């Protein structure tokens, strides 16, 4: 819709672009929660923009961020079963998760799920779960002063020693050494 206000018209155009980017991310099977997070932030920034320069920069940033979103979170290459498992793990990694849990949840055999998961993801389900948990642990190590025990628990590890061993296996150093390396 055209208005007499050129800035408003430009904002409406960028909002339309945001909608098109959302649709493209949906077609790439990115989980709606990820799409809603990025889209909502862009709508706020669009409405707060007070100049054409800011809108131009925002438009370029939107293209880049949506491309990164699709590259990082697209599930289009996976079967619906594996896509459901991956999304569930990504949003529920703090919960106790196992192959048996998913086999029961989706009414398939453990062997079938294990084989399909490994074929499509190129990792075992346990490896994927642990990698997801360690990715969250890294974020907590980078942004908080929480104890290793607290981080372990917030990442879904019931045993801090297992957390430390898993972190070291994936990152090549203990979480304590990782945190120390951040301090210089």
């Amino acid at each position: 819709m055209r208005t007499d206000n050129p800035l408003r018209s430009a904002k409406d155009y960028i909002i339309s672009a945001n909608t098109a980017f959302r649709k493209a991310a949906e077609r790439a099977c990115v989980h709606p929660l990820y799409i809603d997070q990025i889209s909502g932030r862009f709508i706020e920034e669009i409405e707060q923009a007070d100049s054409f320069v800011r809108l131009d920069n925002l438009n370029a940033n939107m293209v880049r961020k949506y491309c990164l979103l699709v590259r990082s979170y697209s599930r289009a290459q996976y079967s619906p079963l594996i896509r459901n498992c991956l999304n569930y793990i990504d949003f529920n990694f703090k919960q106790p998760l196992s192959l048996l849990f998913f086999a029961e949840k989706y009414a398939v055999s453990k062997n079938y799920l294990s084989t399909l998961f490994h074929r499509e993801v190129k990792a075992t389900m346990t490896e994927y779960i642990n990698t997801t948990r360690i990715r969250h642990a890294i974020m907590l190590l980078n942004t908080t002063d929480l104890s290793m025990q607290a981080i372990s628990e917030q990442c879904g590890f019931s045993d801090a020693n297992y957390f430390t061993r898993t972190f070291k296996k994936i990152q090549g150093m203990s979480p304590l050494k990782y945190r120390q390396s951040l301090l210089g």
Side-chain angles (χ1 to χ4, degrees), residues 74-122:
S74 174
R75 302 285 195 233
Q77 71 271 31
Y78 300 114
S79 65
L81 173 61
I82 299 305
R83 189 179 310 143
N84 288 337
C85 290
L86 294 172
N87 286 335
Y88 192 93
I89 292 165
D90 285 352
F91 292 106
N92 298 282
F93 61 86
K94 296 176 185 179
Q95 305 301 316
L97 301 173
S98 68
L99 182 63
L100 177 61
F101 169 82
F102 286 104
E104 290 175 355
K105 180 173 179 55
Y106 296 113
V108 295
S109 77
K110 283 177 32 178
N111 288 341
Y112 172 75
L113 181 56
S114 176
T115 301
L116 186 63
F117 194 95
H118 196 270
R119 181 182 319 133
E120 291 187 24
V121 180
K122 309 293 187 250

Side-chain angles (χ1 to χ4, degrees), residues 131-173:
T131 300
T132 301
R133 289 173 171 167
I134 297 303
R135 205 172 35 241
H136 186 69
I138 289 169
M139 188 270 304
L140 292 175
L141 287 165
N142 287 336
T143 60
T144 71
D145 292 327
L146 291 172
S147 70
M148 293 305 149
Q149 179 67 38
I151 290 174
S152 169
E153 290 169 3
Q154 286 196 23
C155 294
F157 290 96
S158 57
D159 177 5
N161 290 326
Y162 181 62
F163 163 66
T164 299
R165 285 193 311 275
T166 304
F167 192 98
K168 189 171 184 174
K169 179 180 178 187
I170 292 172
Q171 290 301 120
M173 67 179 77

Side-chain angles (χ1 to χ4, degrees), residues 31-115:
H31 195 281
L33 286 176
Y34 293 126
I35 297 170
D36 287 346
Q37 286 174 349
I38 190 172
S39 177
R41 276 184 299 204
F42 280 128
I43 291 296
E44 287 176 18
E45 289 182 47
I46 292 166
E47 291 303 332
Q48 292 173 1
D50 55 3
S51 70
F52 291 106
V53 171
R54 194 159 171 205
L55 285 175
D56 284 343
N57 291 338
L58 183 56
N59 194 37
N61 192 32
M62 280 177 37
V63 171
R64 189 172 70 64
K65 292 279 177 92
Y66 272 104
C67 287
L68 288 171
L69 179 74
V70 169
R71 189 171 72 190
S72 298
Y73 294 105
S74 174
R75 302 285 195 233
Q77 71 271 31
Y78 300 114
S79 65
L81 173 61
I82 299 305
R83 189 179 310 143
N84 288 337
C85 290
L86 294 172
N87 286 335
Y88 192 93
I89 292 165
D90 285 352
F91 292 106
N92 298 282
F93 61 86
K94 296 176 185 179
Q95 305 301 316
L97 301 173
S98 68
L99 182 63
L100 177 61
F101 169 82
F102 286 104
E104 290 175 355
K105 180 173 179 55
Y106 296 113
V108 295
S109 77
K110 283 177 32 178
N111 288 341
Y112 172 75
L113 181 56
S114 176
T115 301

